[in-house]
Amino acid sequence: MASLYVHHTSLPLSPPHQLTVPESPRAPPPSSRLPAVPSSSHHVSALPRPAAAPSAFARHCKAPVRDHDAELLRALQSNGNGTLHGDAAPPQVLDSRSDRPGGDGRSKRSRFCARDCAKRIMELPVEERVKVLDLLPRDDAALTVSDYNDILSALARAGDHTTAVALFRAMPVAPDAQSFATAVQCLCRQGAPDEAKLALDEMVARGFRPSVATFSAVVGCLCKRGRVTKAMEVFDAMRALGCEPTIRTYNSLVGGLCYVGRLEEALDLLNKLKYSPMTPDIYTFTIVLDGFCKVERTEEATAIFHDAIGMGLSPTIFTYNALLNGHCKEGNPLKALALLMEMCGNAAACPPDKISFGIVLTALLRAGETSAAWQTYKRMERAGFDVDGRALDTLARGLCRRCATDVSALGDAKEVFAKVVASGHEPVSYTYCLMAQALARGGEVDAAVALLEDMVRKGYALRKRAYTDVVRALCDRGRARDALQVLVLVMIVRDFVPGRNAFEALLGELSRQGRWADAMAVYAAAVKRGVAVSWKHLGREALSPEEPVRLGVLVPQ
């Protein structure tokens, strides 16, 4: 693992005139091997303060912030992998003395220094800027590395990692271990694994000993980007320096192995941890379990789940949700439902959250398990969770279809449909049509007609089966006039051509009532629109002896 001991010059994080490489591989002195003391303990500078004149730093807090120079802008555009947007070359050194890398200091352009961060620091919450308030009266030349560490820490805690890294690169004083540690953490938070590793390399090359947290941050950042081989190198170098990894470090490695699909290696590492002094925690098991669930190997994931319980660990909601997702992805939503019910009924288990219910409900609806989905919905409602409008829409369609064989499901369908409308999620046209059909079949014909009229007002497309079922339901109740109005609504307002079944249902009812003239008018309207309607629904009383022949020519039977 010599890579951590080589001084990389492609991206030094501080001015090149301050780089000092140890002349021999001997161990650094004890004071440099220890982690840096927190800045609060050595905050006061030994240098005398200026007498009375306010510094440029203090004046800058009241003045508009100047534009950053070209090198700073390039640094802020870093991709996080050693390149810039649109530039294949590695990022250059930000030399605080010149516009150009390695300049001679004769440029008159302003350099990036501590006072460029003044406005950002003053915008931080009070508790974040208290430590650096006493730095404002000082002149830039009076700022020590401890003062810079305070500024870097304040920026890092406030989440302004980009500015912290830029300030670190332009520090006019030699950075210490704490400066490097803060810069490495900020680079990791930025998602720049290559730059973070280069900073770690330079830190070791200067004789500083990174802390466990610094090593772990780099390992985690590399693993999140799938750079497992590089992460292994950092991990080995960490142990070679006598820095013992924590379970968090191992969890990062396990997660990286799962991320790149090396599940067997991840499981092997988990098994080794089980029999080592470094006992795995529930997150280690969850990471491996989730990796197996994502590739539809739920049986092995379930074994890992029970193994964690056997070690006395309590699964978290993330553990359960990963397993629920695995069952659903593998096409076993009923197994997921059984696990969900176990979570609800077992006091020792972790209670499900909204995500748990959503995973199972969506899978049940996709599989057509309407009864189980309805059960899950009611349980979710009792738990106090709101159901997503899209899922409610799907559930409403499933319940409407069930009304075709079980009319008792109509009440449930109406309840869910009302919830969809109340949630602000506009039901799709298909849901409206299925609801109208369910209402017509369940005997609530007026509600079905009102729903069709609502669809027409909103410009929704009407399905033939929807308005045909409504027309039939009206005709079955002797309401031929209302059925005729529905057909007129479809033909005139929406400019649709009703189907043959709708015309024949109305013709049959008009004939039964003896309304021969109306029946003939409906028949003529069907023929005019090219609908092949049988005239057998018209009684003999409506036709003269010659008319059957004439109508038979127009519309063959």
Side-chain angles (χ1 to χ4, degrees), residues 543-551:
L543 303 173
S544 63
E546 294 81 8
E547 284 177 326
V549 178
R550 180 170 55 82
L551 292 173

Side-chain angles (χ1 to χ4, degrees), residues 321-335:
N321 286 350
L323 197 53
L324 289 172
N325 212 12
H327 284 307
C328 295
K329 190 173 183 179
E330 203 168 337
N332 297 316
L334 295 179
K335 285 186 179 181

Side-chain angles (χ1 to χ4, degrees), residues 317-554:
I317 191 61
F318 302 104
T319 314
Y320 278 105
N321 286 350
L323 197 53
L324 289 172
N325 212 12
H327 284 307
C328 295
K329 190 173 183 179
E330 203 168 337
N332 297 316
L334 295 179
K335 285 186 179 181
L337 178 61
L339 180 59
L340 182 69
M341 293 299 107
E342 179 185 333
M343 294 172 66
C344 294
N346 188 356
C350 180
D353 62 359
K354 184 177 180 179
I355 296 175
S356 312
F357 281 107
I359 291 170
V360 179
L361 181 61
T362 304
L364 290 169
L365 292 171
R366 192 181 295 119
E369 299 285 350
T370 307
S371 300
W374 170 251
Q375 230 180 2
T376 306
Y377 163 72
K378 296 304 289 183
R379 176 77 73 163
M380 187 175 183
E381 195 177 46
R382 285 197 296 271
F385 296 118
D386 294 327
V387 185
D388 176 66
R390 187 174 178 181
L392 281 174
D393 201 350
T394 308
L395 179 59
R397 291 197 295 271
L399 291 170
C400 289
R401 292 191 195 96
R402 211 173 92 188
C403 292
T405 56
D406 182 10
V407 182
S408 63
L410 178 60
D412 300 338
K414 289 169 59 180
E415 177 186 341
V416 175
F417 186 81
K419 286 283 182 68
V420 176
V421 177
S423 69
H425 177 85
E426 187 66 24
V428 298
S429 174
Y430 188 37
T431 308
Y432 267 106
C433 290
L434 288 177
M435 191 71 239
Q437 287 179 249
L439 290 169
R441 291 168 181 168
E444 300 188 23
V445 188
D446 291 328
V449 173
L451 201 59
L452 286 180
E453 292 174 349
D454 192 29
M455 290 182 66
V456 170
R457 280 196 304 271
K458 293 180 178 179
Y460 283 161
L462 299 175
R463 296 177 72 240
K464 285 187 177 181
R465 288 195 62 181
Y467 59 75
T468 298
D469 284 352
V470 174
V471 168
R472 279 178 175 168
L474 289 168
C475 291
D476 290 343
R477 288 158 180 77
R479 298 170 60 179
R481 182 180 182 82
D482 294 334
L484 183 59
Q485 287 180 344
V486 171
L487 283 186
V488 169
L489 183 73
V490 173
M491 288 187 295
I492 305 301
V493 179
R494 295 298 299 160
D495 196 23
F496 288 164
V497 178
R500 174 179 177 177
N501 293 333
F503 275 115
E504 289 184 349
L506 183 55
L507 282 174
E509 178 58 22
L510 290 173
S511 298
R512 191 186 65 78
Q513 294 181 7
R515 297 168 59 181
W516 313 118
D518 293 338
M520 288 299 297
V522 170
Y523 184 86
V527 171
K528 181 179 179 181
R529 286 163 176 77
V531 181
V533 181
S534 174
W535 55 270
K536 66 181 178 181
H537 297 283
L538 299 175
R540 291 183 178 276
E541 297 85 348
L543 303 173
S544 63
E546 294 81 8
E547 284 177 326
V549 178
R550 180 170 55 82
L551 292 173
V553 172
L554 289 174

Side-chain angles (χ1 to χ4, degrees), residues 33-65:
R33 292 174 60 88
L34 296 176
V37 180
S39 57
S40 57
S41 63
H42 58 281
H43 175 68
V44 180
S45 173
L47 298 176
R49 295 172 178 265
S55 68
F57 191 21
R59 291 194 303 270
H60 187 77
C61 295
K62 302 177 182 178
V65 181

Side-chain angles (χ1 to χ4, degrees), residues 6-21 71 75 78 82 90-97 101-102 165-171 173 175 180 183-184 187 194-203 205-206:
V6 178
H7 182 207
H8 293 265
T9 57
S10 60
L11 181 62
L13 295 174
S14 56
H17 64 284
Q18 297 167 2
L19 295 181
T20 57
V21 182
E71 287 89 4
S78 172
Q92 300 296 320
V93 179
L94 290 180
D95 191 342
S96 60
R97 302 171 300 169
V165 172
L167 177 60
F168 173 79
R169 287 172 172 163
M171 281 175 60
V173 296
F180 274 105
V184 169
L187 287 167
D194 291 319
E195 293 186 27
K197 186 176 182 302
L198 285 176
L200 185 68
D201 291 347
E202 184 177 347
M203 185 177 183
R206 288 187 176 218

